[in-house]
């Protein structure tokens, strides 16, 4: 794993009033002009995302990072793997900054490169030449580089089906990490692969807990990883909202379990969820199974519709929440003084292979 050093934000930023903060951020943005672009993921809080030049899901933001070659600084309001991907895709000389280095993703941390190498070696001892790897973008740069080296690709929740189809045009079996649920949902609902042709590799068990026969029979080997935010949604909540609000449509993120996606009316990336709810007629009702900041924003944007969170317990991504307006201001004011803090930079060796896997994704979709 790449090591990053987090600089401490000075106390003076932490005592600023909201109005002062917003005014200073706006002023700094204006002074930095075209040298700066701020990218914001849909799970960011309102106080932060209001300053984003572009917002999007992981796919849209990756594309923006690869196409926006003008700005010297890309400030990424999102989590670590997103900023790392932006750094890999950005033009040489562009500087990517994550306002809080500790804004990680617990799912991405569930697959370590050493575990992946061990798994790959074991699988190839059984089915050499028959397997292709693909990684969810929610993973480290080393894991993306592994996929690039082995002829595989990256995917996001919005293009997983296309990447899986591409993978099966190159190999008989697919090893997918780190999200077991996105993998199963994509394979079953978009590629019609039966559940008994999928196995789960548990990295903490000897040989992933799988026998030779299970691997020989499987078409998909899913990594045992998950998103703790999306695991909070369940079928009982869907039954309950349908009873309370007859006619309500349930839309969830594909990081939810297979059973939740099966009981919902539809599933898709954050960008897809926004489009579906925004394009629906006034008077419609929606229960949304994803991170609470996006759900609350959807409710605000759609006053003529009922938009509620599928869970009554607030489903917050704590690491996305680490990006605050105070940190954004601190980053920008440092840039004005010619100082870069919290830079995200992948080593050149990892970069070339991980770029290969990300570029494959961009060329497939
Ligand atoms: P999207 O690419 O759908 O925005 O998802 C990112 C993510 O981390 C969901 O938990
Ligand atoms: Fe990671 Fe889940 Fe947060 Fe998305 S919502 S960044 S998958 S922890």
């Amino acid at each position: 794993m790449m090591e990053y050093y987090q600089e401490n934000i000075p106390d003076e930023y932490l005592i600023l009033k909201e109005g002062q903060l917003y005014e200073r951020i706006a002023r700094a943005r204006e002074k930095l002009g075209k040298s700066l672009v701020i990218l914001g993921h849909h799970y960011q809080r309102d106080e932060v995302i209001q300053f984003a030049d572009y917002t999007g899901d992981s796919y849209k933001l990756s594309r923006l990072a690869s196409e926006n070659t003008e700005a010297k600084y890309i400030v990424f309001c999102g989590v670590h793997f997103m900023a790392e991907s932006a750094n890999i895709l950005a033009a040489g000389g562009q500087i990517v900054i994550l306002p809080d280095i500790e804004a990680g993703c617990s799912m991405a941390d569930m697959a370590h490169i050493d575990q992946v190498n061990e798994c790959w070696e074991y699988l190839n001892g059984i089915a050499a030449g028959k397997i292709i790897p693909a990684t969810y973008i929610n993973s480290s740069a080393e894991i993306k580089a592994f996929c690039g080296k082995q002829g595989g690709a990256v995917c996001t929740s919005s293009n997983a089906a296309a990447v899986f189809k591409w993978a099966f045009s190159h190999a008989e079996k697919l090893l997918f990490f780190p999200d077991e649920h996105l993998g199963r949902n994509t394979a079953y609902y978009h590629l019609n692969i039966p559940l008994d042709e999928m196995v789960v590799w548990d990295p903490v068990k000897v040989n992933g807990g799988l026998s030779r026969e299970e691997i020989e029979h499987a078409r998909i080997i899913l990594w045992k990883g998950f998103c703790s935010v999306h695991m909070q949604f369940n079928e009982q909540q869907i039954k309950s909202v349908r009873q309370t609000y007859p006619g309500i449509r349930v839309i969830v993120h594909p990081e939810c379990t297979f059973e939740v996606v099966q009981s919902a009316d539809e599933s898709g990336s954050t960008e897809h969820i926004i489009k579906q709810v925004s394009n629906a007629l006034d008077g419609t009702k929606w229960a949304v199974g994803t991170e609470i900041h996006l759900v609350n924003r959807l409710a605000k944007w759609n006053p003529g519709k009922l938009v509620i969170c599928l869970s009554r317990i607030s489903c917050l991504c704590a690491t996305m929440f680490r990006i605050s307006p105070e940190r954004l201001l601190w980053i920008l004011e440092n840039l004005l003084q010619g100082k870069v803090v919290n830079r995200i930079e992948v080593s050149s060796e990892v970069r070339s292979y991980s770029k290969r896997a990300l570029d494959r994704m961009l060329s497939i979709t």
Side-chain angles (χ1 to χ4, degrees):
M1 285 279 180
M2 229 72 67
E3 295 288 335
Y4 290 99
Y5 170 69
Q6 167 107 297
E7 278 196 41
N8 284 333
I9 178 169
D11 288 347
E12 63 182 274
Y13 283 96
L14 305 175
I15 51 168
L16 290 173
K17 298 222 164 54
E18 200 178 76
Q20 296 171 302
L21 267 173
Y22 294 172
E23 207 186 299
R24 277 170 64 172
I25 293 174
R27 215 178 316 138
R29 272 181 87 201
E30 207 181 303
K31 282 193 188 151
L32 286 159
K34 284 206 163 82
S35 69
L36 167 76
V37 67
I38 302 180
L39 303 181
H41 184 265
H42 294 309
Y43 293 162
Q44 291 291 297
R45 16 173 159 167
D46 287 359
E47 308 95 273
V48 171
I49 210 155
Q50 63 177 322
F51 295 109
D53 294 296
Y54 300 99
T55 61
D57 61 7
S58 310
Y59 175 71
K60 191 172 157 193
L61 295 174
S62 301
R63 213 169 246 300
L64 282 162
S66 75
E67 287 167 359
N68 197 306
T69 51
E70 203 185 337
K72 181 171 178 197
Y73 305 113
I74 300 176
V75 172
F76 212 116
C77 296
V79 287
H80 202 280
F81 73 81
M82 296 179 178
E84 235 180 22
S85 302
N87 171 243
I88 296 162
L89 289 166
Q94 284 186 298
I95 292 171
V96 177
I97 295 167
L98 182 64
D100 188 330
I101 291 288
E102 281 165 25
C105 163
S106 52
M107 179 205 283
D109 295 340
M110 288 176 191
H112 189 276
I113 187 62
D114 296 341
Q115 296 171 317
V116 168
N117 280 326
E118 211 176 287
C119 166
W120 187 245
E121 204 178 303
Y122 180 70
L123 296 181
N124 274 283
I126 295 169
K130 294 183 180 169
I131 318 170
I132 191 165
T135 184
Y136 193 19
I137 196 163
N138 301 37
S139 57
S140 67
E142 286 86 350
I143 286 189
K144 292 181 180 80
F146 165 86
C147 286
K149 248 185 225 173
Q150 301 299 339
V154 173
C155 74
T156 72
S157 62
S158 69
N159 60 23
V163 171
F164 279 27
K165 283 178 193 156
W166 169 87
F168 280 113
S169 70
H170 288 79
E172 267 175 48
K173 296 177 194 286
L174 170 65
L175 168 63
F176 181 67
F177 31 74
D179 189 7
E180 171 187 344
H181 305 287
L182 175 68
R184 184 178 293 111
N185 290 329
T186 305
Y188 185 87
Y189 296 112
H190 297 276
L191 279 81
N192 297 320
I193 295 180
L195 294 178
D196 67 5
E197 291 181 13
M198 304 183 204
V199 289
V200 177
W201 177 277
D202 184 342
V204 301
K205 289 193 180 156
V206 177
N207 298 334
L210 295 174
S211 67
R212 185 180 185 94
E213 294 68 38
E214 283 173 311
I215 289 165
E216 275 168 349
H217 177 71
R219 288 186 67 202
I220 300 219
I221 298 112
L222 302 167
W223 194 266
K224 196 175 168 61
F226 58 87
C227 164
S228 47
V229 177
H230 290 95
M231 291 305 282
Q232 292 178 52
F233 300 107
N234 59 50
E235 293 158 274
Q236 189 46 48
Q237 293 160 348
I238 299 184
K239 275 194 199 130
S240 162
V241 288
R242 289 201 200 283
Q243 263 166 16
T244 315
Y245 305 98
I248 197 163
R249 283 190 72 76
V250 179
I251 187 164
V252 299
H253 196 278
E255 287 173 12
C256 292
T257 64
F258 178 80
E259 292 76 18
V260 167
V261 173
Q262 192 164 48
S263 307
D265 294 297
E266 51 183 309
S267 71
S269 76
T270 53
E271 192 76 16
H272 175 82
I273 293 174
I274 293 171
K275 273 196 197 118
Q276 294 303 96
V277 176
S278 308
N279 292 339
L281 295 175
D282 270 356
T284 51
K285 296 175 249 178
W286 293 86
V288 185
T290 198
E291 210 271 345
I292 193 66
H293 287 88
L294 175 55
V295 182
N296 288 342
R297 206 169 297 131
L298 275 172
K300 213 176 338 165
W301 285 339
N302 292 278
K305 302 161 206 174
L306 174 80
V307 182
I308 56 168
C309 183
L310 180 56
S311 166
R312 283 208 245 161
I313 303 157
S314 179
C315 294
L316 170 97
C317 176
T319 46
M320 285 274 181
F321 193 74
R322 292 190 73 98
I323 310 297
S324 62
E326 289 84 354
R327 284 189 166 272
L328 180 58
L329 176 62
W330 169 56
I331 291 296
L332 299 183
E333 291 193 340
N334 268 288
L335 289 180
L336 282 175
Q337 289 163 22
K339 189 171 172 219
V340 174
V341 282
N342 289 359
R343 180 174 184 173
I344 301 292
E345 198 177 17
V346 174
S347 72
S348 58
E349 197 203 328
V350 172
R351 171 196 300 274
S352 66
Y353 283 112
S354 51
K355 185 164 180 349
R356 205 182 277 182
L358 278 161
D359 281 343
R360 266 189 206 122
M361 170 186 85
L362 295 177
S363 69
I364 294 165
T365 50

